[in-house]
Amino acid sequence: MKQDSDYVAREARRIYEERLRTDLEVGHIHKFVAIEPISGEYFLGNTLSEAIGASRTKYPDRMAHVIQVGHRAAIVLPFIQLISHSNSAA
């Protein structure tokens, strides 16, 4: 099944907002979470590489969307598309 990066990002963000955000932002702030949207599974890491690695180990042929918990930044893999929005006021 070929995955579209926009679909992966959209579904992963939906999963994060609907199922994961509240719990993860309490105990895992600033960690990275890779969300694989077909299974709905997520993989936490202290670094971006750890989260990606865990997702790629279990699902080597699927894309994951990575979010830094508590931040508005994400990366879509394997195409490494960086999306960043600053939350801080100047």
Side-chain angles (χ1 to χ4, degrees):
M1 172 183 185
K2 184 176 182 206
Q3 294 178 298
D4 173 82
S5 61
D6 290 333
Y7 167 80
V8 171
R10 190 172 48 253
E11 284 301 301
R13 282 191 297 256
R14 181 187 63 75
I15 291 167
Y16 182 79
E17 291 298 328
E18 292 178 5
R19 294 187 8 217
L20 304 174
R21 182 181 195 153
T22 301
D23 291 336
L24 292 181
E25 289 187 0
V26 170
H28 302 286
I29 198 79
H30 307 301
K31 291 193 178 202
F32 292 88
V33 59
I35 302 167
E36 194 290 302
I38 294 172
S39 67
E41 286 189 67
Y42 67 95
F43 306 87
L44 282 170
N46 289 319
T47 66
L48 179 65
S49 293
E50 285 180 11
I52 292 167
S55 175
R56 300 288 289 174
T57 296
K58 183 149 188 191
Y59 298 107
D61 297 326
R62 296 185 190 174
M63 286 192 288
H65 184 76
V66 180
I67 298 169
Q68 188 172 14
V69 178
H71 297 268
R72 298 209 41 165
I75 296 177
V76 177
L77 299 174
F79 302 108
I80 311 297
Q81 176 184 23
L82 178 63
I83 304 164
S84 180
H85 306 281
S86 176
N87 284 339
S88 59

